Amino acid sequence: MPQARELFDTLTAKSGLSSEVLANAVDTLQECEEVVGACSMVMLGEQYAVQMAPAISRDLDCADVVGVTRRLLTRGSGPDNSLISAQFEACLLACERSYEMCSKHAAEHAHCRMCSDATRRCADMCRQILGALRA
């Protein structure tokens, strides 16, 4: 986190969010992207992959949306927050959809438990960022 915070301290185009909030968001997004991507890969390799296709699809969508959100946030798009707000809305939806599927399997599969935890944390962070951007 110190490097991300330092990076955000140097950006001239400010979003209205503190460097600490931005750095924490990047860390949460990165963790979520990694965990969700790993969960989908584990499911693909299992004998029940066909039955898990909806969860795999949602995880892959989530990983892609979360990754784009992290990259947009890191880029520092400036004082017009309309694009980043829309992206955080999409990220929130993707995390909620992934959480919905993986939380159903969390008791049987550690990767789904980890995925549902990461997507819940990421969705919570998205709600906080959106609230701050709208304030």
Side-chain angles (χ1 to χ4, degrees):
M1 181 175 90
Q3 289 179 336
R5 185 174 180 180
E6 185 179 344
L7 169 70
F8 288 119
D9 285 341
T10 66
L11 294 177
T12 56
K14 299 293 182 179
S15 65
L17 301 170
S18 74
S19 297
E20 184 174 344
V21 167
L22 292 169
N24 287 334
V26 166
D27 288 345
T28 301
L29 291 162
Q30 184 170 355
E31 175 198 24
C32 185
E33 181 182 10
E34 291 172 2
V35 171
V36 172
C39 182
S40 65
M41 293 309 297
V42 170
M43 286 188 285
L44 279 170
E46 295 291 337
Q47 63 186 4
Y48 55 85
V50 172
Q51 294 89 351
M52 298 298 286
I56 293 166
S57 178
R58 287 187 184 191
D59 277 0
L60 292 172
D61 288 348
C62 185
D64 287 346
V65 172
V66 167
V68 169
T69 305
R70 180 181 47 79
R71 288 189 298 279
L72 283 173
L73 188 62
T74 303
R75 218 177 350 250
S77 60
D80 179 5
N81 290 321
S82 56
L83 177 62
I84 199 68
S85 291
Q87 186 62 39
F88 269 102
E89 289 282 352
C91 190
L92 174 59
L93 178 61
C95 287
E96 287 174 337
R97 289 173 44 84
S98 179
Y99 174 83
E100 179 184 1
M101 293 302 284
C102 279
S103 65
K104 292 177 183 178
H105 308 285
E108 303 99 44
H109 306 288
H111 56 88
C112 285
R113 179 187 47 76
M114 294 170 68
C115 182
S116 63
D117 289 346
T119 53
R120 181 188 40 78
R121 280 191 302 276
C122 196
D124 289 345
M125 179 274 302
C126 287
R127 286 185 201 91
Q128 292 172 348
I129 294 285
L130 286 165
L133 290 173
R134 293 176 182 145

mmCIF file of all heavy atoms in Angstrom, residues 65-108:
data_model
loop_
_atom_site.group_PDB
_atom_site.id
_atom_site.type_symbol
_atom_site.label_atom_id
_atom_site.label_comp_id
_atom_site.label_asym_id
_atom_site.label_seq_id
_atom_site.Cartn_x
_atom_site.Cartn_y
_atom_site.Cartn_z
ATOM 1 N N VAL A 65 -13.840 -7.006 -14.884
ATOM 2 C CA VAL A 65 -14.370 -5.695 -14.489
ATOM 3 C C VAL A 65 -13.543 -5.100 -13.354
ATOM 4 O O VAL A 65 -13.224 -3.903 -13.359
ATOM 5 C CB VAL A 65 -15.864 -5.804 -14.097
ATOM 6 C CG1 VAL A 65 -16.379 -4.504 -13.494
ATOM 7 C CG2 VAL A 65 -16.697 -6.192 -15.314
ATOM 8 N N VAL A 66 -13.175 -5.923 -12.393
ATOM 9 C CA VAL A 66 -12.368 -5.447 -11.268
ATOM 10 C C VAL A 66 -11.003 -4.953 -11.767
ATOM 11 O O VAL A 66 -10.513 -3.915 -11.330
ATOM 12 C CB VAL A 66 -12.228 -6.555 -10.198
ATOM 13 C CG1 VAL A 66 -11.163 -6.217 -9.178
ATOM 14 C CG2 VAL A 66 -13.562 -6.772 -9.501
ATOM 15 N N GLY A 67 -10.402 -5.696 -12.692
ATOM 16 C CA GLY A 67 -9.105 -5.281 -13.233
ATOM 17 C C GLY A 67 -9.180 -3.952 -13.965
ATOM 18 O O GLY A 67 -8.305 -3.084 -13.803
ATOM 19 N N VAL A 68 -10.214 -3.766 -14.762
ATOM 20 C CA VAL A 68 -10.391 -2.489 -15.472
ATOM 21 C C VAL A 68 -10.625 -1.365 -14.476
ATOM 22 O O VAL A 68 -10.072 -0.269 -14.626
ATOM 23 C CB VAL A 68 -11.556 -2.586 -16.487
ATOM 24 C CG1 VAL A 68 -11.923 -1.220 -17.029
ATOM 25 C CG2 VAL A 68 -11.189 -3.527 -17.624
ATOM 26 N N THR A 69 -11.409 -1.629 -13.453
ATOM 27 C CA THR A 69 -11.670 -0.609 -12.427
ATOM 28 C C THR A 69 -10.366 -0.180 -11.760
ATOM 29 O O THR A 69 -10.109 1.014 -11.577
ATOM 30 C CB THR A 69 -12.661 -1.148 -11.376
ATOM 31 O OG1 THR A 69 -13.841 -1.601 -12.038
ATOM 32 C CG2 THR A 69 -13.018 -0.083 -10.359
ATOM 33 N N ARG A 70 -9.535 -1.151 -11.414
ATOM 34 C CA ARG A 70 -8.245 -0.843 -10.779
ATOM 35 C C ARG A 70 -7.376 0.003 -11.703
ATOM 36 O O ARG A 70 -6.777 0.994 -11.279
ATOM 37 C CB ARG A 70 -7.528 -2.137 -10.394
ATOM 38 C CG ARG A 70 -6.178 -1.932 -9.714
ATOM 39 C CD ARG A 70 -5.505 -3.246 -9.376
ATOM 40 N NE ARG A 70 -5.500 -4.225 -10.450
ATOM 41 C CZ ARG A 70 -4.648 -4.187 -11.495
ATOM 42 N NH1 ARG A 70 -3.769 -3.227 -11.603
ATOM 43 N NH2 ARG A 70 -4.701 -5.125 -12.425
ATOM 44 N N ARG A 71 -7.321 -0.366 -12.973
ATOM 45 C CA ARG A 71 -6.485 0.394 -13.913
ATOM 46 C C ARG A 71 -7.010 1.820 -14.111
ATOM 47 O O ARG A 71 -6.225 2.770 -14.155
ATOM 48 C CB ARG A 71 -6.371 -0.353 -15.235
ATOM 49 C CG ARG A 71 -5.485 -1.597 -15.117
ATOM 50 C CD ARG A 71 -5.181 -2.243 -16.457
ATOM 51 N NE ARG A 71 -6.348 -2.727 -17.168
ATOM 52 C CZ ARG A 71 -6.958 -3.892 -16.921
ATOM 53 N NH1 ARG A 71 -6.517 -4.680 -15.954
ATOM 54 N NH2 ARG A 71 -8.002 -4.263 -17.632
ATOM 55 N N LEU A 72 -8.319 1.988 -14.226
ATOM 56 C CA LEU A 72 -8.883 3.334 -14.366
ATOM 57 C C LEU A 72 -8.607 4.172 -13.128
ATOM 58 O O LEU A 72 -8.263 5.353 -13.233
ATOM 59 C CB LEU A 72 -10.387 3.273 -14.621
ATOM 60 C CG LEU A 72 -10.834 2.899 -16.017
ATOM 61 C CD1 LEU A 72 -12.347 2.721 -16.057
ATOM 62 C CD2 LEU A 72 -10.398 3.940 -17.026
ATOM 63 N N LEU A 73 -8.772 3.581 -11.970
ATOM 64 C CA LEU A 73 -8.539 4.305 -10.725
ATOM 65 C C LEU A 73 -7.082 4.706 -10.599
ATOM 66 O O LEU A 73 -6.770 5.834 -10.207
ATOM 67 C CB LEU A 73 -8.964 3.440 -9.537
ATOM 68 C CG LEU A 73 -8.959 4.105 -8.172
ATOM 69 C CD1 LEU A 73 -9.929 5.269 -8.139
ATOM 70 C CD2 LEU A 73 -9.323 3.080 -7.106
ATOM 71 N N THR A 74 -6.192 3.816 -10.954
ATOM 72 C CA THR A 74 -4.758 4.088 -10.853
ATOM 73 C C THR A 74 -4.327 5.191 -11.819
ATOM 74 O O THR A 74 -3.444 5.983 -11.524
ATOM 75 C CB THR A 74 -3.950 2.802 -11.124
ATOM 76 O OG1 THR A 74 -4.364 1.811 -10.195
ATOM 77 C CG2 THR A 74 -2.467 3.035 -10.949
ATOM 78 N N ARG A 75 -4.996 5.243 -12.959
ATOM 79 C CA ARG A 75 -4.656 6.248 -13.968
ATOM 80 C C ARG A 75 -4.979 7.663 -13.515
ATOM 81 O O ARG A 75 -4.368 8.620 -13.983
ATOM 82 C CB ARG A 75 -5.414 5.915 -15.257
ATOM 83 C CG ARG A 75 -4.629 6.160 -16.465
ATOM 84 C CD ARG A 75 -5.271 5.802 -17.772
ATOM 85 N NE ARG A 75 -6.508 5.051 -17.802
ATOM 86 C CZ ARG A 75 -6.602 3.801 -18.219
ATOM 87 N NH1 ARG A 75 -5.542 3.133 -18.615
ATOM 88 N NH2 ARG A 75 -7.763 3.196 -18.269
ATOM 89 N N GLY A 76 -5.937 7.815 -12.616
ATOM 90 C CA GLY A 76 -6.273 9.145 -12.125
ATOM 91 C C GLY A 76 -6.922 10.011 -13.184
ATOM 92 O O GLY A 76 -6.287 10.885 -13.741
ATOM 93 N N SER A 77 -8.185 9.761 -13.482
ATOM 94 C CA SER A 77 -8.856 10.419 -14.605
ATOM 95 C C SER A 77 -9.249 11.867 -14.372
ATOM 96 O O SER A 77 -9.800 12.486 -15.261
ATOM 97 C CB SER A 77 -10.083 9.594 -15.022
ATOM 98 O OG SER A 77 -10.979 9.484 -13.940
ATOM 99 N N GLY A 78 -8.991 12.417 -13.209
ATOM 100 C CA GLY A 78 -9.226 13.829 -13.008
ATOM 101 C C GLY A 78 -10.487 14.156 -12.238
ATOM 102 O O GLY A 78 -11.113 13.286 -11.653
ATOM 103 N N PRO A 79 -10.849 15.438 -12.254
ATOM 104 C CA PRO A 79 -11.954 15.903 -11.416
ATOM 105 C C PRO A 79 -13.341 15.473 -11.914
ATOM 106 O O PRO A 79 -14.296 15.501 -11.158
ATOM 107 C CB PRO A 79 -11.821 17.422 -11.457
ATOM 108 C CG PRO A 79 -11.073 17.710 -12.716
ATOM 109 C CD PRO A 79 -10.190 16.524 -12.960
ATOM 110 N N ASP A 80 -13.474 15.071 -13.187
ATOM 111 C CA ASP A 80 -14.750 14.579 -13.695
ATOM 112 C C ASP A 80 -14.864 13.104 -13.341
ATOM 113 O O ASP A 80 -14.237 12.249 -13.960
ATOM 114 C CB ASP A 80 -14.849 14.780 -15.205
ATOM 115 C CG ASP A 80 -16.153 14.255 -15.780
ATOM 116 O OD1 ASP A 80 -17.030 13.819 -15.000
ATOM 117 O OD2 ASP A 80 -16.298 14.276 -17.010
ATOM 118 N N ASN A 81 -15.678 12.814 -12.356
ATOM 119 C CA ASN A 81 -15.776 11.450 -11.829
ATOM 120 C C ASN A 81 -16.853 10.611 -12.498
ATOM 121 O O ASN A 81 -17.144 9.509 -12.035
ATOM 122 C CB ASN A 81 -16.046 11.504 -10.319
ATOM 123 C CG ASN A 81 -14.846 11.995 -9.559
ATOM 124 O OD1 ASN A 81 -13.717 11.652 -9.891
ATOM 125 N ND2 ASN A 81 -15.074 12.803 -8.540
ATOM 126 N N SER A 82 -17.436 11.083 -13.590
ATOM 127 C CA SER A 82 -18.548 10.337 -14.187
ATOM 128 C C SER A 82 -18.120 8.965 -14.690
ATOM 129 O O SER A 82 -18.827 7.975 -14.485
ATOM 130 C CB SER A 82 -19.207 11.150 -15.302
ATOM 131 O OG SER A 82 -18.261 11.521 -16.279
ATOM 132 N N LEU A 83 -16.971 8.851 -15.343
ATOM 133 C CA LEU A 83 -16.513 7.562 -15.847
ATOM 134 C C LEU A 83 -16.165 6.616 -14.705
ATOM 135 O O LEU A 83 -16.584 5.448 -14.697
ATOM 136 C CB LEU A 83 -15.309 7.720 -16.781
ATOM 137 C CG LEU A 83 -14.720 6.412 -17.311
ATOM 138 C CD1 LEU A 83 -15.740 5.658 -18.155
ATOM 139 C CD2 LEU A 83 -13.462 6.691 -18.114
ATOM 140 N N ILE A 84 -15.422 7.099 -13.732
ATOM 141 C CA ILE A 84 -15.011 6.220 -12.635
ATOM 142 C C ILE A 84 -16.228 5.813 -11.796
ATOM 143 O O ILE A 84 -16.301 4.691 -11.307
ATOM 144 C CB ILE A 84 -13.871 6.842 -11.777
ATOM 145 C CG1 ILE A 84 -13.161 5.757 -10.966
ATOM 146 C CG2 ILE A 84 -14.360 7.945 -10.877
ATOM 147 C CD1 ILE A 84 -12.378 4.775 -11.759
ATOM 148 N N SER A 85 -17.210 6.706 -11.663
ATOM 149 C CA SER A 85 -18.442 6.337 -10.953
ATOM 150 C C SER A 85 -19.175 5.216 -11.678
ATOM 151 O O SER A 85 -19.619 4.249 -11.059
ATOM 152 C CB SER A 85 -19.363 7.556 -10.802
ATOM 153 O OG SER A 85 -18.813 8.490 -9.926
ATOM 154 N N ALA A 86 -19.294 5.355 -12.997
ATOM 155 C CA ALA A 86 -19.956 4.312 -13.783
ATOM 156 C C ALA A 86 -19.182 2.996 -13.686
ATOM 157 O O ALA A 86 -19.780 1.918 -13.581
ATOM 158 C CB ALA A 86 -20.083 4.755 -15.239
ATOM 159 N N GLN A 87 -17.859 3.082 -13.676
ATOM 160 C CA GLN A 87 -17.046 1.872 -13.582
ATOM 161 C C GLN A 87 -17.211 1.215 -12.214
ATOM 162 O O GLN A 87 -17.279 -0.017 -12.119
ATOM 163 C CB GLN A 87 -15.578 2.188 -13.862
ATOM 164 C CG GLN A 87 -14.696 0.966 -13.925
ATOM 165 C CD GLN A 87 -15.089 0.030 -15.055
ATOM 166 O OE1 GLN A 87 -15.450 0.471 -16.144
ATOM 167 N NE2 GLN A 87 -15.017 -1.266 -14.809
ATOM 168 N N PHE A 88 -17.287 2.015 -11.165
ATOM 169 C CA PHE A 88 -17.503 1.439 -9.834
ATOM 170 C C PHE A 88 -18.895 0.834 -9.708
ATOM 171 O O PHE A 88 -19.084 -0.147 -8.991
ATOM 172 C CB PHE A 88 -17.229 2.452 -8.722
ATOM 173 C CG PHE A 88 -15.806 2.418 -8.251
ATOM 174 C CD1 PHE A 88 -14.896 3.378 -8.665
ATOM 175 C CD2 PHE A 88 -15.365 1.418 -7.402
ATOM 176 C CE1 PHE A 88 -13.580 3.333 -8.248
ATOM 177 C CE2 PHE A 88 -14.052 1.364 -6.973
ATOM 178 C CZ PHE A 88 -13.153 2.325 -7.399
ATOM 179 N N GLU A 89 -19.881 1.386 -10.400
ATOM 180 C CA GLU A 89 -21.209 0.760 -10.438
ATOM 181 C C GLU A 89 -21.116 -0.619 -11.082
ATOM 182 O O GLU A 89 -21.689 -1.598 -10.589
ATOM 183 C CB GLU A 89 -22.196 1.631 -11.222
ATOM 184 C CG GLU A 89 -22.593 2.910 -10.532
ATOM 185 C CD GLU A 89 -23.612 2.732 -9.428
ATOM 186 O OE1 GLU A 89 -24.162 1.622 -9.258
ATOM 187 O OE2 GLU A 89 -23.863 3.718 -8.722
ATOM 188 N N ALA A 90 -20.398 -0.696 -12.206
ATOM 189 C CA ALA A 90 -20.218 -1.986 -12.887
ATOM 190 C C ALA A 90 -19.437 -2.954 -12.004
ATOM 191 O O ALA A 90 -19.759 -4.150 -11.945
ATOM 192 C CB ALA A 90 -19.496 -1.779 -14.221
ATOM 193 N N CYS A 91 -18.435 -2.455 -11.318
ATOM 194 C CA CYS A 91 -17.627 -3.303 -10.435
ATOM 195 C C CYS A 91 -18.477 -3.843 -9.291
ATOM 196 O O CYS A 91 -18.395 -5.030 -8.946
ATOM 197 C CB CYS A 91 -16.441 -2.494 -9.907
ATOM 198 S SG CYS A 91 -15.213 -3.478 -9.027
ATOM 199 N N LEU A 92 -19.300 -2.994 -8.721
ATOM 200 C CA LEU A 92 -20.195 -3.423 -7.653
ATOM 201 C C LEU A 92 -21.116 -4.531 -8.149
ATOM 202 O O LEU A 92 -21.265 -5.574 -7.490
ATOM 203 C CB LEU A 92 -21.014 -2.234 -7.143
ATOM 204 C CG LEU A 92 -22.099 -2.526 -6.114
ATOM 205 C CD1 LEU A 92 -21.518 -3.163 -4.860
ATOM 206 C CD2 LEU A 92 -22.849 -1.245 -5.777
ATOM 207 N N LEU A 93 -21.700 -4.357 -9.310
ATOM 208 C CA LEU A 93 -22.595 -5.371 -9.874
ATOM 209 C C LEU A 93 -21.853 -6.683 -10.132
ATOM 210 O O LEU A 93 -22.339 -7.765 -9.784
ATOM 211 C CB LEU A 93 -23.226 -4.855 -11.166
ATOM 212 C CG LEU A 93 -24.151 -5.830 -11.896
ATOM 213 C CD1 LEU A 93 -25.335 -6.224 -11.021
ATOM 214 C CD2 LEU A 93 -24.617 -5.200 -13.199
ATOM 215 N N ALA A 94 -20.665 -6.591 -10.722
ATOM 216 C CA ALA A 94 -19.884 -7.802 -11.012
ATOM 217 C C ALA A 94 -19.515 -8.540 -9.725
ATOM 218 O O ALA A 94 -19.598 -9.779 -9.664
ATOM 219 C CB ALA A 94 -18.631 -7.448 -11.806
ATOM 220 N N CYS A 95 -19.134 -7.813 -8.699
ATOM 221 C CA CYS A 95 -18.782 -8.436 -7.419
ATOM 222 C C CYS A 95 -20.003 -9.077 -6.765
ATOM 223 O O CYS A 95 -19.913 -10.185 -6.218
ATOM 224 C CB CYS A 95 -18.152 -7.413 -6.485
ATOM 225 S SG CYS A 95 -16.475 -6.943 -6.939
ATOM 226 N N GLU A 96 -21.125 -8.385 -6.815
ATOM 227 C CA GLU A 96 -22.341 -8.951 -6.227
ATOM 228 C C GLU A 96 -22.757 -10.231 -6.946
ATOM 229 O O GLU A 96 -23.181 -11.197 -6.317
ATOM 230 C CB GLU A 96 -23.478 -7.928 -6.270
ATOM 231 C CG GLU A 96 -23.297 -6.804 -5.266
ATOM 232 C CD GLU A 96 -24.346 -5.712 -5.396
ATOM 233 O OE1 GLU A 96 -24.951 -5.565 -6.490
ATOM 234 O OE2 GLU A 96 -24.549 -4.983 -4.408
ATOM 235 N N ARG A 97 -22.648 -10.251 -8.271
ATOM 236 C CA ARG A 97 -23.026 -11.438 -9.045
ATOM 237 C C ARG A 97 -22.083 -12.608 -8.756
ATOM 238 O O ARG A 97 -22.533 -13.744 -8.604
ATOM 239 C CB ARG A 97 -23.038 -11.105 -10.535
ATOM 240 C CG ARG A 97 -24.203 -10.204 -10.931
ATOM 241 C CD ARG A 97 -24.132 -9.733 -12.376
ATOM 242 N NE ARG A 97 -23.784 -10.759 -13.335
ATOM 243 C CZ ARG A 97 -24.649 -11.617 -13.899
ATOM 244 N NH1 ARG A 97 -25.925 -11.552 -13.590
ATOM 245 N NH2 ARG A 97 -24.237 -12.509 -14.773
ATOM 246 N N SER A 98 -20.799 -12.345 -8.671
ATOM 247 C CA SER A 98 -19.845 -13.397 -8.344
ATOM 248 C C SER A 98 -20.080 -13.905 -6.917
ATOM 249 O O SER A 98 -20.085 -15.111 -6.670
ATOM 250 C CB SER A 98 -18.416 -12.872 -8.497
ATOM 251 O OG SER A 98 -17.478 -13.865 -8.170
ATOM 252 N N TYR A 99 -20.280 -12.979 -6.002
ATOM 253 C CA TYR A 99 -20.550 -13.349 -4.606
ATOM 254 C C TYR A 99 -21.784 -14.245 -4.521
ATOM 255 O O TYR A 99 -21.786 -15.253 -3.805
ATOM 256 C CB TYR A 99 -20.745 -12.096 -3.746
ATOM 257 C CG TYR A 99 -21.177 -12.425 -2.344
ATOM 258 C CD1 TYR A 99 -20.229 -12.781 -1.386
ATOM 259 C CD2 TYR A 99 -22.518 -12.419 -1.973
ATOM 260 C CE1 TYR A 99 -20.624 -13.119 -0.090
ATOM 261 C CE2 TYR A 99 -22.920 -12.752 -0.696
ATOM 262 C CZ TYR A 99 -21.961 -13.100 0.241
ATOM 263 O OH TYR A 99 -22.348 -13.435 1.514
ATOM 264 N N GLU A 100 -22.828 -13.876 -5.247
ATOM 265 C CA GLU A 100 -24.076 -14.643 -5.219
ATOM 266 C C GLU A 100 -23.836 -16.114 -5.559
ATOM 267 O O GLU A 100 -24.374 -17.005 -4.904
ATOM 268 C CB GLU A 100 -25.065 -14.029 -6.210
ATOM 269 C CG GLU A 100 -26.380 -14.749 -6.299
ATOM 270 C CD GLU A 100 -27.295 -14.176 -7.369
ATOM 271 O OE1 GLU A 100 -26.904 -13.228 -8.068
ATOM 272 O OE2 GLU A 100 -28.406 -14.710 -7.509
ATOM 273 N N MET A 101 -23.011 -16.374 -6.559
ATOM 274 C CA MET A 101 -22.766 -17.755 -6.968
ATOM 275 C C MET A 101 -21.788 -18.461 -6.026
ATOM 276 O O MET A 101 -22.052 -19.579 -5.587
ATOM 277 C CB MET A 101 -22.219 -17.801 -8.396
ATOM 278 C CG MET A 101 -23.215 -17.365 -9.442
ATOM 279 S SD MET A 101 -24.734 -18.325 -9.474
ATOM 280 C CE MET A 101 -24.172 -19.796 -10.270
ATOM 281 N N CYS A 102 -20.661 -17.824 -5.735
ATOM 282 C CA CYS A 102 -19.636 -18.504 -4.935
ATOM 283 C C CYS A 102 -20.045 -18.695 -3.483
ATOM 284 O O CYS A 102 -19.639 -19.674 -2.855
ATOM 285 C CB CYS A 102 -18.301 -17.773 -5.044
ATOM 286 S SG CYS A 102 -17.428 -18.202 -6.574
ATOM 287 N N SER A 103 -20.854 -17.792 -2.958
ATOM 288 C CA SER A 103 -21.270 -17.963 -1.564
ATOM 289 C C SER A 103 -22.130 -19.220 -1.394
ATOM 290 O O SER A 103 -22.157 -19.814 -0.320
ATOM 291 C CB SER A 103 -22.013 -16.719 -1.062
ATOM 292 O OG SER A 103 -23.224 -16.534 -1.767
ATOM 293 N N LYS A 104 -22.797 -19.658 -2.457
ATOM 294 C CA LYS A 104 -23.594 -20.882 -2.401
ATOM 295 C C LYS A 104 -22.714 -22.127 -2.245
ATOM 296 O O LYS A 104 -23.180 -23.157 -1.768
ATOM 297 C CB LYS A 104 -24.436 -21.028 -3.668
ATOM 298 C CG LYS A 104 -25.522 -19.998 -3.799
ATOM 299 C CD LYS A 104 -26.255 -20.179 -5.115
ATOM 300 C CE LYS A 104 -27.303 -19.100 -5.297
ATOM 301 N NZ LYS A 104 -27.992 -19.226 -6.601
ATOM 302 N N HIS A 105 -21.460 -22.018 -2.675
ATOM 303 C CA HIS A 105 -20.555 -23.167 -2.662
ATOM 304 C C HIS A 105 -19.437 -23.024 -1.627
ATOM 305 O O HIS A 105 -18.551 -23.862 -1.557
ATOM 306 C CB HIS A 105 -19.934 -23.353 -4.050
ATOM 307 C CG HIS A 105 -20.943 -23.413 -5.142
ATOM 308 N ND1 HIS A 105 -21.729 -24.516 -5.373
ATOM 309 C CD2 HIS A 105 -21.323 -22.484 -6.057
ATOM 310 C CE1 HIS A 105 -22.541 -24.274 -6.387
ATOM 311 N NE2 HIS A 105 -22.325 -23.050 -6.824
ATOM 312 N N ALA A 106 -19.499 -21.954 -0.839
ATOM 313 C CA ALA A 106 -18.411 -21.645 0.094
ATOM 314 C C ALA A 106 -18.207 -22.720 1.159
ATOM 315 O O ALA A 106 -17.076 -22.963 1.588
ATOM 316 C CB ALA A 106 -18.658 -20.289 0.752
ATOM 317 N N ALA A 107 -19.269 -23.381 1.568
ATOM 318 C CA ALA A 107 -19.143 -24.408 2.610
ATOM 319 C C ALA A 107 -18.407 -25.649 2.102
ATOM 320 O O ALA A 107 -17.727 -26.326 2.873
ATOM 321 C CB ALA A 107 -20.519 -24.795 3.132
ATOM 322 N N GLU A 108 -18.525 -25.933 0.790
ATOM 323 C CA GLU A 108 -17.905 -27.143 0.235
ATOM 324 C C GLU A 108 -16.524 -26.900 -0.363
ATOM 325 O O GLU A 108 -15.728 -27.830 -0.467
ATOM 326 C CB GLU A 108 -18.778 -27.750 -0.884
ATOM 327 C CG GLU A 108 -20.191 -28.091 -0.490
ATOM 328 C CD GLU A 108 -21.167 -27.014 -0.926
ATOM 329 O OE1 GLU A 108 -21.068 -26.532 -2.060
ATOM 330 O OE2 GLU A 108 -22.021 -26.652 -0.107
#
